[in-house]
Amino acid sequence: MKSKLIAVAALAAVFAAPAFANQELAQKKNCMTCHSVDKKIVGPAYKEVAAKYAKDKDAVKKLSEKIIKGGSGVWGPVPMPANAVTPAEAETLAKWVLSIK
């Protein structure tokens, strides 16, 4: 029984690691200064972003571009500045945001 619990815990850690790693990237790139997972700070909560783009087949591309270039007007008058991220990092962040339920 104990070995089964250890195996389940190990699997949970493996599957949670990518989501946690992407949150770490968001923190490293200072995204969490203006955003949080579940509440509005300066920008929208990531859950709101995921919900808004849930049915958009081009969401990863659109969000990746906004992460890199910045944007304004979608969530109110406060603009999001451009961010110092690579295209790969922007795509990773966009996919992570869209995965949040």
Side-chain angles (χ1 to χ4, degrees):
M1 180 68 171
K2 186 175 181 181
S3 62
K4 286 182 182 180
L5 288 174
I6 291 171
V8 168
L11 283 172
V14 167
F15 287 108
F20 185 68
N22 295 331
Q23 185 169 355
E24 283 183 345
L25 179 59
Q27 290 170 329
K28 179 181 172 187
K29 296 297 180 175
N30 296 319
C31 305
M32 305 302 275
T33 301
C34 295
H35 300 276
S36 86
V37 171
D38 59 357
K39 65 180 180 230
K40 177 178 173 49
I41 298 177
V42 174
Y46 290 138
K47 284 184 176 183
E48 292 178 62
V49 176
K52 181 176 185 126
Y53 289 93
K55 296 180 182 178
D56 186 338
K57 63 181 179 67
D58 296 322
V60 172
K61 180 180 176 190
K62 288 177 183 176
L63 291 179
S64 295
E65 289 176 5
K66 283 193 177 282
I67 291 167
I68 292 169
K69 298 176 182 177
S72 64
V74 176
W75 296 95
V78 179
M80 182 174 89
N83 292 280
V85 296
T86 66
E89 289 171 329
E91 184 175 328
T92 297
L93 290 165
K95 287 179 179 177
W96 171 67
V97 169
L98 292 168
S99 75
I100 297 171
K101 303 292 181 228

